[in-house]
Amino acid sequence: MAIWNPEKECLDRDRLRDLQLKGLKDTVSRVFQNVSCYQNKFKELGLSPEDINSLEDLSKLPFTTKEDLRLNYPYGMFAVPMRQVVRIHSSSGTTGKPTVVGYTRNDLNVWTELVSRFMTAAGLTADDIVQIAFGYGLFTGAFGLHYGTERIGASVIPMSSGNTDKQIMIMQDYRSTALVCTPSYALTLADRMEKLGISPDSLALRVGLFGAEPWSEEMRREIEKRLGILATDNYGLSEMMGPGIAGECEHQCGMHIFEDHFIPEIINPDTGEVLPAGSVGELVLTSISKEAFPMIRYRTRDITRLTYEPCVCGRTLARMHKTAGRSDDMLIIKGVNVFPTQIEEVLFQVEGCEPHYQLVVDRVGAMDTLEVHVEVNECIFFDEMKKQRAFVEMVEKRLVSTLGVGAKVKLVEPSTIKRHEGKANRVIDKRKI
Ligand code: DLL
């Protein structure tokens, strides 16, 4: 199978470490000289760039958080003068001011290279026709994938998000072979195609490159079955660059992190302590090649685990496992930690449940409550009460045994839960309202 940049993606790990140390030292010197937020943080810790002499010294450096970016809104974290910045994007933050990110010409080049890597890893070539159904705009998804598509020589259809019927028409008429969007939108498309009586066999679609939100293995199988494609996962965040931090190869066994540009660490989110390889914890990333907007030990809030075992594809880069979600998305129900993706896994395994659900969290007196609203097929929805009740009890039983905390299940009619065009928002937490 093709590898976009074998020299870097299959680099011997000792040489990779040399390259990382060099990139780390350069980055630390640059932020120390040019970014007042880092100057202050380093001074508080009594650190100077000369103290960084090995990769182990990384843990001496301070973390960067979303709060730092907010405090330095809009351009305070930039390490180059504005005249060297050629592109600006922004995070899709749901609370407060969005964070602003900038790119030099070289940053854009690197970004395009890294997207080309994971597109190639997913099996795309110059022969593909790639339909991009991410929204073009401040969000990094569409532009990131757009330039990667062009770089590998495939044809890009810059469709943007929404307008589901038109997406399907274009997919049919233009013979799109690859689809780029969020996994939840892929399901929205599959649903609509079924309603319109369009069989996936009549399309040329063969691969999906999905990312920008957490999704379970069960959801992957559902998308693959319903669209008749190979569905691959890719990960990124605007604060680090956008898509192109990590992406899966066709073996679908974890996303290769482009470690020649980003150093990953896993920490205990409560104490900040660095955890040994293989542990589950919060992913922390340090950029080692970015010019405009370098990030030292950025706390992503995403909970995952890294594997350093070599992959059968030949890449030597570490792989990150599907994230359970952001630690901010984690619900604490009666003291038990619950990720929406865990609920998704259970629902997707139940025959009769449709892949559309909404979680409603509330507090009655001092007691947290969790309600799971799930669409079921018409057979079940219109079934006699007794059978419906038995169905609800069966789902509730499975949920409590997986989550360790009870949830009330409410069956809703097909097509009643809101469909998503971009990132899905599946939780209504009335406790925060
Ligand atoms: O979502 C960048 C992106 C665009 C990635 C397109 C992949 C494809 P933000 O809007 O800043 O950037 O959101 C970043 O989304 O911290 C994760 O919580 C979540 N996320 C992104 N990719 C994945 C994924 C883009 N593959 C935040 N699996 C991140 C799980 C993901 N969560």
mmCIF file of all heavy atoms in Angstrom, residues 66 90-93 118 134 139-142 145 181 210-215 233-239 242-244 255 300-302 320 322-323 325-326 329 423, ligand 1:
data_model
loop_
_atom_site.group_PDB
_atom_site.id
_atom_site.type_symbol
_atom_site.label_atom_id
_atom_site.label_comp_id
_atom_site.label_asym_id
_atom_site.label_seq_id
_atom_site.Cartn_x
_atom_site.Cartn_y
_atom_site.Cartn_z
ATOM 1 N N LYS A 66 -6.707 26.097 26.743
ATOM 2 C CA LYS A 66 -7.629 26.939 25.968
ATOM 3 C C LYS A 66 -7.763 28.319 26.621
ATOM 4 O O LYS A 66 -7.915 29.329 25.936
ATOM 5 C CB LYS A 66 -8.983 26.224 25.919
ATOM 6 C CG LYS A 66 -9.962 26.861 25.007
ATOM 7 C CD LYS A 66 -10.598 25.836 24.094
ATOM 8 C CE LYS A 66 -11.343 26.538 23.002
ATOM 9 N NZ LYS A 66 -11.323 25.831 21.749
ATOM 10 N N SER A 90 -10.275 29.524 12.809
ATOM 11 C CA SER A 90 -10.750 29.706 14.162
ATOM 12 C C SER A 90 -11.344 28.388 14.647
ATOM 13 O O SER A 90 -11.727 27.542 13.850
ATOM 14 C CB SER A 90 -11.778 30.829 14.109
ATOM 15 O OG SER A 90 -12.681 30.723 15.142
ATOM 16 N N SER A 91 -11.385 28.211 15.955
ATOM 17 C CA SER A 91 -11.942 26.962 16.481
ATOM 18 C C SER A 91 -13.450 27.088 16.517
ATOM 19 O O SER A 91 -14.001 28.172 16.550
ATOM 20 C CB SER A 91 -11.427 26.706 17.891
ATOM 21 O OG SER A 91 -12.181 27.490 18.774
ATOM 22 N N SER A 92 -14.081 25.916 16.560
ATOM 23 C CA SER A 92 -15.543 25.920 16.552
ATOM 24 C C SER A 92 -16.081 25.968 17.977
ATOM 25 O O SER A 92 -17.083 25.356 18.266
ATOM 26 C CB SER A 92 -16.031 24.669 15.843
ATOM 27 O OG SER A 92 -15.312 23.547 16.333
ATOM 28 N N GLY A 93 -15.375 26.646 18.851
ATOM 29 C CA GLY A 93 -15.736 26.700 20.269
ATOM 30 C C GLY A 93 -17.209 27.029 20.493
ATOM 31 O O GLY A 93 -17.769 27.890 19.816
ATOM 32 N N PHE A 118 -2.516 11.317 5.410
ATOM 33 C CA PHE A 118 -3.586 10.424 5.886
ATOM 34 C C PHE A 118 -4.576 10.099 4.774
ATOM 35 O O PHE A 118 -5.219 9.059 4.810
ATOM 36 C CB PHE A 118 -4.244 10.932 7.191
ATOM 37 C CG PHE A 118 -5.239 12.044 7.074
ATOM 38 C CD1 PHE A 118 -6.504 11.836 6.550
ATOM 39 C CD2 PHE A 118 -4.919 13.313 7.541
ATOM 40 C CE1 PHE A 118 -7.423 12.870 6.476
ATOM 41 C CE2 PHE A 118 -5.829 14.355 7.465
ATOM 42 C CZ PHE A 118 -7.091 14.129 6.929
ATOM 43 N N PHE A 134 -17.615 19.133 4.439
ATOM 44 C CA PHE A 134 -17.388 19.981 5.617
ATOM 45 C C PHE A 134 -17.702 21.409 5.187
ATOM 46 O O PHE A 134 -17.520 21.752 4.009
ATOM 47 C CB PHE A 134 -15.910 19.969 6.028
ATOM 48 C CG PHE A 134 -15.483 18.787 6.851
ATOM 49 C CD1 PHE A 134 -14.312 18.105 6.536
ATOM 50 C CD2 PHE A 134 -16.201 18.388 7.964
ATOM 51 C CE1 PHE A 134 -13.873 17.034 7.307
ATOM 52 C CE2 PHE A 134 -15.766 17.316 8.745
ATOM 53 C CZ PHE A 134 -14.614 16.651 8.413
ATOM 54 N N PHE A 139 -13.844 27.192 10.038
ATOM 55 C CA PHE A 139 -13.569 25.799 10.436
ATOM 56 C C PHE A 139 -12.446 25.248 9.548
ATOM 57 O O PHE A 139 -12.420 25.462 8.343
ATOM 58 C CB PHE A 139 -14.861 24.986 10.262
ATOM 59 C CG PHE A 139 -14.710 23.524 10.551
ATOM 60 C CD1 PHE A 139 -14.213 23.084 11.776
ATOM 61 C CD2 PHE A 139 -15.080 22.574 9.609
ATOM 62 C CE1 PHE A 139 -14.090 21.723 12.045
ATOM 63 C CE2 PHE A 139 -14.969 21.217 9.870
ATOM 64 C CZ PHE A 139 -14.469 20.795 11.091
ATOM 65 N N THR A 140 -11.527 24.508 10.179
ATOM 66 C CA THR A 140 -10.345 24.049 9.439
ATOM 67 C C THR A 140 -10.595 22.823 8.554
ATOM 68 O O THR A 140 -9.778 22.505 7.691
ATOM 69 C CB THR A 140 -9.231 23.651 10.440
ATOM 70 O OG1 THR A 140 -9.810 22.738 11.393
ATOM 71 C CG2 THR A 140 -8.665 24.847 11.163
ATOM 72 N N GLY A 141 -11.721 22.122 8.798
ATOM 73 C CA GLY A 141 -11.951 20.835 8.136
ATOM 74 C C GLY A 141 -11.911 20.898 6.611
ATOM 75 O O GLY A 141 -11.154 20.164 5.961
ATOM 76 N N ALA A 142 -12.730 21.795 6.043
ATOM 77 C CA ALA A 142 -12.872 21.802 4.584
ATOM 78 C C ALA A 142 -11.576 22.230 3.881
ATOM 79 O O ALA A 142 -11.084 21.543 2.986
ATOM 80 C CB ALA A 142 -14.017 22.724 4.177
ATOM 81 N N LEU A 145 -8.705 19.522 4.144
ATOM 82 C CA LEU A 145 -8.872 18.368 3.256
ATOM 83 C C LEU A 145 -8.807 18.795 1.786
ATOM 84 O O LEU A 145 -8.340 18.049 0.928
ATOM 85 C CB LEU A 145 -10.206 17.684 3.558
ATOM 86 C CG LEU A 145 -10.266 16.575 4.634
ATOM 87 C CD1 LEU A 145 -9.498 15.344 4.188
ATOM 88 C CD2 LEU A 145 -9.785 17.016 5.981
ATOM 89 N N CYS A 181 -16.499 14.134 5.567
ATOM 90 C CA CYS A 181 -17.449 14.863 6.425
ATOM 91 C C CYS A 181 -17.341 14.320 7.854
ATOM 92 O O CYS A 181 -16.429 13.552 8.154
ATOM 93 C CB CYS A 181 -18.884 14.741 5.906
ATOM 94 S SG CYS A 181 -19.516 13.075 5.752
ATOM 95 N N PHE A 210 -13.546 10.320 7.712
ATOM 96 C CA PHE A 210 -14.409 10.970 8.676
ATOM 97 C C PHE A 210 -13.624 11.407 9.901
ATOM 98 O O PHE A 210 -12.672 10.745 10.307
ATOM 99 C CB PHE A 210 -15.541 10.013 9.087
ATOM 100 C CG PHE A 210 -16.332 9.508 7.906
ATOM 101 C CD1 PHE A 210 -16.476 8.146 7.668
ATOM 102 C CD2 PHE A 210 -16.918 10.402 7.012
ATOM 103 C CE1 PHE A 210 -17.199 7.683 6.571
ATOM 104 C CE2 PHE A 210 -17.643 9.955 5.916
ATOM 105 C CZ PHE A 210 -17.781 8.576 5.688
ATOM 106 N N GLY A 211 -14.038 12.523 10.470
ATOM 107 C CA GLY A 211 -13.346 13.032 11.651
ATOM 108 C C GLY A 211 -14.081 14.222 12.200
ATOM 109 O O GLY A 211 -15.219 14.509 11.817
ATOM 110 N N ALA A 212 -13.432 14.915 13.115
ATOM 111 C CA ALA A 212 -13.926 16.136 13.755
ATOM 112 C C ALA A 212 -14.856 15.877 14.931
ATOM 113 O O ALA A 212 -15.267 16.814 15.601
ATOM 114 C CB ALA A 212 -14.579 17.095 12.754
ATOM 115 N N GLU A 213 -15.201 14.614 15.203
ATOM 116 C CA GLU A 213 -16.028 14.307 16.377
ATOM 117 C C GLU A 213 -15.807 12.847 16.767
ATOM 118 O O GLU A 213 -15.408 12.028 15.929
ATOM 119 C CB GLU A 213 -17.503 14.556 16.079
ATOM 120 C CG GLU A 213 -18.058 13.615 15.022
ATOM 121 C CD GLU A 213 -19.514 13.899 14.650
ATOM 122 O OE1 GLU A 213 -20.064 14.914 15.115
ATOM 123 O OE2 GLU A 213 -20.093 13.090 13.901
ATOM 124 N N PRO A 214 -16.078 12.505 18.020
ATOM 125 C CA PRO A 214 -15.902 11.100 18.435
ATOM 126 C C PRO A 214 -16.964 10.207 17.812
ATOM 127 O O PRO A 214 -18.095 10.637 17.613
ATOM 128 C CB PRO A 214 -16.091 11.145 19.954
ATOM 129 C CG PRO A 214 -16.272 12.553 20.338
ATOM 130 C CD PRO A 214 -16.498 13.371 19.125
ATOM 131 N N TRP A 215 -16.585 8.995 17.493
ATOM 132 C CA TRP A 215 -17.546 8.000 16.974
ATOM 133 C C TRP A 215 -17.056 6.619 17.347
ATOM 134 O O TRP A 215 -15.861 6.368 17.420
ATOM 135 C CB TRP A 215 -17.767 8.156 15.464
ATOM 136 C CG TRP A 215 -16.549 8.214 14.578
ATOM 137 C CD1 TRP A 215 -15.428 8.978 14.773
ATOM 138 C CD2 TRP A 215 -16.339 7.501 13.348
ATOM 139 N NE1 TRP A 215 -14.548 8.794 13.728
ATOM 140 C CE2 TRP A 215 -15.086 7.885 12.836
ATOM 141 C CE3 TRP A 215 -17.102 6.575 12.615
ATOM 142 C CZ2 TRP A 215 -14.556 7.382 11.648
ATOM 143 C CZ3 TRP A 215 -16.583 6.088 11.424
ATOM 144 C CH2 TRP A 215 -15.323 6.496 10.956
ATOM 145 N N ASP A 233 -10.852 6.975 10.009
ATOM 146 C CA ASP A 233 -10.934 8.025 11.025
ATOM 147 C C ASP A 233 -9.715 8.935 10.916
ATOM 148 O O ASP A 233 -8.604 8.453 10.687
ATOM 149 C CB ASP A 233 -10.946 7.325 12.406
ATOM 150 C CG ASP A 233 -11.374 8.235 13.538
ATOM 151 O OD1 ASP A 233 -11.713 9.391 13.274
ATOM 152 O OD2 ASP A 233 -11.366 7.761 14.704
ATOM 153 N N ASN A 234 -9.924 10.218 11.060
ATOM 154 C CA ASN A 234 -8.766 11.115 11.167
ATOM 155 C C ASN A 234 -9.054 12.169 12.207
ATOM 156 O O ASN A 234 -10.197 12.548 12.434
ATOM 157 C CB ASN A 234 -8.396 11.709 9.804
ATOM 158 C CG ASN A 234 -9.437 12.655 9.277
ATOM 159 O OD1 ASN A 234 -9.437 13.839 9.604
ATOM 160 N ND2 ASN A 234 -10.359 12.143 8.469
ATOM 161 N N TYR A 235 -7.962 12.625 12.842
ATOM 162 C CA TYR A 235 -8.097 13.457 14.039
ATOM 163 C C TYR A 235 -7.295 14.746 13.906
ATOM 164 O O TYR A 235 -6.203 14.752 13.320
ATOM 165 C CB TYR A 235 -7.584 12.663 15.249
ATOM 166 C CG TYR A 235 -7.394 13.468 16.508
ATOM 167 C CD1 TYR A 235 -8.440 13.637 17.413
ATOM 168 C CD2 TYR A 235 -6.171 14.075 16.799
ATOM 169 C CE1 TYR A 235 -8.285 14.389 18.576
ATOM 170 C CE2 TYR A 235 -5.998 14.825 17.960
ATOM 171 C CZ TYR A 235 -7.055 14.975 18.842
ATOM 172 O OH TYR A 235 -6.896 15.716 19.983
ATOM 173 N N GLY A 236 -7.831 15.788 14.468
ATOM 174 C CA GLY A 236 -7.070 17.031 14.536
ATOM 175 C C GLY A 236 -7.827 18.048 15.355
ATOM 176 O O GLY A 236 -8.964 17.805 15.765
ATOM 177 N N LEU A 237 -7.203 19.164 15.610
ATOM 178 C CA LEU A 237 -7.887 20.253 16.310
ATOM 179 C C LEU A 237 -7.301 21.565 15.827
ATOM 180 O O LEU A 237 -6.110 21.638 15.490
ATOM 181 C CB LEU A 237 -7.797 20.107 17.830
ATOM 182 C CG LEU A 237 -6.470 20.113 18.540
ATOM 183 C CD1 LEU A 237 -6.700 20.319 20.028
ATOM 184 C CD2 LEU A 237 -5.749 18.806 18.336
ATOM 185 N N SER A 238 -8.156 22.580 15.751
ATOM 186 C CA SER A 238 -7.691 23.818 15.141
ATOM 187 C C SER A 238 -6.513 24.416 15.892
ATOM 188 O O SER A 238 -5.602 24.963 15.267
ATOM 189 C CB SER A 238 -8.824 24.824 15.004
ATOM 190 O OG SER A 238 -9.756 24.674 16.011
ATOM 191 N N GLU A 239 -6.508 24.283 17.226
ATOM 192 C CA GLU A 239 -5.413 24.897 17.989
ATOM 193 C C GLU A 239 -4.050 24.350 17.571
ATOM 194 O O GLU A 239 -3.042 25.038 17.696
ATOM 195 C CB GLU A 239 -5.591 24.661 19.493
ATOM 196 C CG GLU A 239 -6.821 25.300 20.095
ATOM 197 C CD GLU A 239 -8.033 24.380 20.049
ATOM 198 O OE1 GLU A 239 -8.164 23.602 19.071
ATOM 199 O OE2 GLU A 239 -8.848 24.434 20.972
ATOM 200 N N GLY A 242 -5.529 21.856 12.733
ATOM 201 C CA GLY A 242 -6.750 21.408 12.061
ATOM 202 C C GLY A 242 -6.619 19.918 11.801
ATOM 203 O O GLY A 242 -5.859 19.238 12.498
ATOM 204 N N PRO A 243 -7.318 19.375 10.792
ATOM 205 C CA PRO A 243 -7.138 17.953 10.489
ATOM 206 C C PRO A 243 -5.694 17.714 10.070
ATOM 207 O O PRO A 243 -5.041 18.630 9.562
ATOM 208 C CB PRO A 243 -8.089 17.729 9.305
ATOM 209 C CG PRO A 243 -8.320 19.083 8.712
ATOM 210 C CD PRO A 243 -8.235 20.038 9.849
ATOM 211 N N GLY A 244 -5.183 16.484 10.303
ATOM 212 C CA GLY A 244 -3.809 16.212 9.874
ATOM 213 C C GLY A 244 -2.866 16.009 11.048
ATOM 214 O O GLY A 244 -1.654 15.983 10.881
ATOM 215 N N MET A 255 -4.926 5.691 14.832
ATOM 216 C CA MET A 255 -4.538 6.772 13.912
ATOM 217 C C MET A 255 -3.062 7.106 14.086
ATOM 218 O O MET A 255 -2.617 7.412 15.197
ATOM 219 C CB MET A 255 -5.403 7.999 14.191
ATOM 220 C CG MET A 255 -6.877 7.739 13.894
ATOM 221 S SD MET A 255 -7.920 9.154 14.241
ATOM 222 C CE MET A 255 -8.274 8.930 15.979
ATOM 223 N N THR A 300 -5.303 18.940 25.063
ATOM 224 C CA THR A 300 -6.406 18.794 24.103
ATOM 225 C C THR A 300 -7.735 18.485 24.775
ATOM 226 O O THR A 300 -8.777 18.670 24.159
ATOM 227 C CB THR A 300 -6.138 17.638 23.121
ATOM 228 O OG1 THR A 300 -6.154 16.409 23.850
ATOM 229 C CG2 THR A 300 -4.812 17.795 22.398
ATOM 230 N N ARG A 301 -7.700 17.935 25.999
ATOM 231 C CA ARG A 301 -8.896 17.469 26.712
ATOM 232 C C ARG A 301 -9.443 16.171 26.131
ATOM 233 O O ARG A 301 -10.449 15.654 26.588
ATOM 234 C CB ARG A 301 -10.031 18.510 26.725
ATOM 235 C CG ARG A 301 -9.638 19.805 27.360
ATOM 236 C CD ARG A 301 -9.904 19.755 28.855
ATOM 237 N NE ARG A 301 -9.230 20.841 29.537
ATOM 238 C CZ ARG A 301 -8.894 20.793 30.820
ATOM 239 N NH1 ARG A 301 -9.164 19.725 31.522
ATOM 240 N NH2 ARG A 301 -8.290 21.789 31.392
ATOM 241 N N ASP A 302 -8.801 15.656 25.069
ATOM 242 C CA ASP A 302 -9.275 14.411 24.464
ATOM 243 C C ASP A 302 -8.663 13.218 25.193
ATOM 244 O O ASP A 302 -7.460 13.175 25.431
ATOM 245 C CB ASP A 302 -8.903 14.359 22.975
ATOM 246 C CG ASP A 302 -9.680 15.384 22.177
ATOM 247 O OD1 ASP A 302 -10.897 15.502 22.417
ATOM 248 O OD2 ASP A 302 -9.085 16.078 21.334
ATOM 249 N N MET A 320 -2.754 6.650 17.834
ATOM 250 C CA MET A 320 -3.684 6.979 18.925
ATOM 251 C C MET A 320 -4.995 6.263 18.687
ATOM 252 O O MET A 320 -5.451 6.132 17.554
ATOM 253 C CB MET A 320 -3.885 8.484 19.076
ATOM 254 C CG MET A 320 -4.589 9.183 17.954
ATOM 255 S SD MET A 320 -4.778 10.963 18.277
ATOM 256 C CE MET A 320 -6.435 11.026 18.964
ATOM 257 N N LYS A 322 -9.091 5.530 19.046
ATOM 258 C CA LYS A 322 -10.291 6.369 18.968
ATOM 259 C C LYS A 322 -10.477 7.059 20.302
ATOM 260 O O LYS A 322 -10.331 6.428 21.354
ATOM 261 C CB LYS A 322 -11.509 5.488 18.705
ATOM 262 C CG LYS A 322 -11.830 5.315 17.234
ATOM 263 C CD LYS A 322 -13.192 4.678 17.079
ATOM 264 C CE LYS A 322 -13.630 4.654 15.622
ATOM 265 N NZ LYS A 322 -13.492 5.936 14.933
ATOM 266 N N THR A 323 -10.798 8.342 20.288
ATOM 267 C CA THR A 323 -10.959 9.016 21.569
ATOM 268 C C THR A 323 -12.335 8.679 22.119
ATOM 269 O O THR A 323 -13.286 8.519 21.357
ATOM 270 C CB THR A 323 -10.859 10.554 21.450
ATOM 271 O OG1 THR A 323 -12.020 11.015 20.761
ATOM 272 C CG2 THR A 323 -9.628 10.991 20.713
ATOM 273 N N GLY A 325 -13.794 10.760 23.760
ATOM 274 C CA GLY A 325 -14.433 12.070 23.738
ATOM 275 C C GLY A 325 -13.577 13.029 24.528
ATOM 276 O O GLY A 325 -12.571 12.644 25.106
ATOM 277 N N ARG A 326 -13.964 14.292 24.499
ATOM 278 C CA ARG A 326 -13.253 15.285 25.304
ATOM 279 C C ARG A 326 -13.596 15.085 26.768
ATOM 280 O O ARG A 326 -14.737 14.724 27.062
ATOM 281 C CB ARG A 326 -13.724 16.681 24.920
ATOM 282 C CG ARG A 326 -13.170 17.140 23.619
ATOM 283 C CD ARG A 326 -13.127 18.647 23.550
ATOM 284 N NE ARG A 326 -12.261 18.997 22.434
ATOM 285 C CZ ARG A 326 -11.628 20.140 22.302
ATOM 286 N NH1 ARG A 326 -11.762 21.080 23.177
ATOM 287 N NH2 ARG A 326 -10.843 20.361 21.279
ATOM 288 N N ASP A 329 -16.706 16.580 27.525
ATOM 289 C CA ASP A 329 -17.964 15.937 27.101
ATOM 290 C C ASP A 329 -18.373 14.841 28.069
ATOM 291 O O ASP A 329 -19.453 14.287 27.962
ATOM 292 C CB ASP A 329 -17.807 15.231 25.741
ATOM 293 C CG ASP A 329 -17.475 16.197 24.632
ATOM 294 O OD1 ASP A 329 -17.774 17.393 24.800
ATOM 295 O OD2 ASP A 329 -16.925 15.755 23.615
ATOM 296 N N LYS A 423 -20.690 18.885 13.251
ATOM 297 C CA LYS A 423 -20.470 18.086 14.452
ATOM 298 C C LYS A 423 -21.808 17.841 15.146
ATOM 299 O O LYS A 423 -22.610 18.755 15.281
ATOM 300 C CB LYS A 423 -19.543 18.835 15.409
ATOM 301 C CG LYS A 423 -18.164 19.057 14.830
ATOM 302 C CD LYS A 423 -17.257 19.663 15.881
ATOM 303 C CE LYS A 423 -15.962 20.142 15.264
ATOM 304 N NZ LYS A 423 -14.782 19.539 15.855
HETATM 305 O O1 DLL B 1 -12.470 19.304 14.259
HETATM 306 C C1 DLL B 1 -10.393 19.548 13.084
HETATM 307 C C2 DLL B 1 -10.775 18.445 12.170
HETATM 308 C C3 DLL B 1 -11.476 18.714 11.035
HETATM 309 C C4 DLL B 1 -10.388 17.147 12.437
HETATM 310 C C5 DLL B 1 -11.803 17.696 10.171
HETATM 311 C C6 DLL B 1 -10.698 16.120 11.589
HETATM 312 C C7 DLL B 1 -11.421 16.399 10.450
HETATM 313 P P1 DLL B 1 -11.897 21.640 16.041
HETATM 314 O O2 DLL B 1 -13.172 22.148 15.473
HETATM 315 O O3 DLL B 1 -10.977 22.578 16.702
HETATM 316 O O4 DLL B 1 -11.053 20.968 14.899
HETATM 317 O O5 DLL B 1 -12.274 20.479 17.040
HETATM 318 C C8 DLL B 1 -11.278 19.700 17.624
HETATM 319 O O6 DLL B 1 -12.747 17.774 17.735
HETATM 320 O O7 DLL B 1 -10.219 18.216 20.187
HETATM 321 C C9 DLL B 1 -11.696 16.468 19.376
HETATM 322 O O8 DLL B 1 -12.407 16.645 20.581
HETATM 323 C C10 DLL B 1 -12.670 16.442 18.229
HETATM 324 N N1 DLL B 1 -12.176 15.563 17.164
HETATM 325 C C11 DLL B 1 -11.560 15.897 16.022
HETATM 326 N N2 DLL B 1 -11.304 14.787 15.282
HETATM 327 C C12 DLL B 1 -11.760 13.729 16.001
HETATM 328 C C13 DLL B 1 -11.794 12.318 15.805
HETATM 329 C C14 DLL B 1 -11.437 19.899 14.114
HETATM 330 N N3 DLL B 1 -11.337 11.747 14.706
HETATM 331 C C15 DLL B 1 -11.885 18.628 18.494
HETATM 332 N N4 DLL B 1 -12.304 11.559 16.789
HETATM 333 C C16 DLL B 1 -10.846 17.687 19.066
HETATM 334 C C17 DLL B 1 -12.789 12.104 17.927
HETATM 335 C C18 DLL B 1 -12.306 14.227 17.209
HETATM 336 N N5 DLL B 1 -12.810 13.428 18.151
#
